[in-house]
Amino acid sequence: MKRLLAALCLCSVAAVAHAEISQKFGTLEIHYNALTTDELLPEVARAYKIERSKTRGLVTMSVLMPNKLGVLTPVPAKISIYATNLNQQLSNVEMREVNEGA
């Protein structure tokens, strides 16, 4: 359970944030970010098999916990994301786990 967790999802979005945000939940710290996939470098999009588009969004999330030395370390987590459209219809967004440096 000491694997790096970076979750990626592809979904249609109307507007997205461009700054990484983090929140603390007890000892856990969650970092997340959203952007349109056209902002990805072509080589990055190819490497992760992501379609670059102004109408597709990318959400990244990392769940971190302090280790014995107090250094934040990535930990695996089950993440669920739900989105609503302009008609307030709720849908589940499928996440994909990516292990970097594994």
Side-chain angles (χ1 to χ4, degrees):
M1 294 197 121
K2 300 281 185 192
R3 301 177 283 165
L4 170 62
L5 177 78
L8 300 173
C9 79
L10 299 176
C11 58
S12 295
V13 293
V16 294
H18 293 287
E20 182 178 299
I21 303 167
S22 66
Q23 291 185 346
K24 289 187 177 186
F25 298 91
T27 60
L28 293 177
E29 190 168 307
I30 300 175
H31 292 245
Y32 53 97
N33 189 10
L35 62 141
T36 55
T37 59
D38 69 320
E39 296 181 51
L40 294 173
L41 294 173
E43 28 314 333
V44 172
R46 265 192 307 277
Y48 290 100
K49 297 180 174 73
I50 297 171
E51 178 186 338
R52 295 179 73 232
S53 171
K54 290 181 182 184
T55 61
R56 294 182 71 82
L58 172 74
V59 175
T60 63
M61 300 182 82
S62 295
V63 179
L64 308 168
M65 182 186 296
N67 63 17
K68 292 178 183 178
L69 300 174
V71 177
L72 289 175
T73 305
V75 294
K78 183 176 180 179
I79 298 173
S80 297
I81 293 182
Y82 297 91
T84 57
N85 63 15
L86 296 175
N87 293 324
Q88 300 303 311
Q89 296 169 318
L90 183 68
S91 66
N92 181 29
V93 177
E94 189 173 327
M95 300 295 288
R96 174 171 53 135
E97 182 177 352
V98 175
N99 291 307
E100 296 178 346

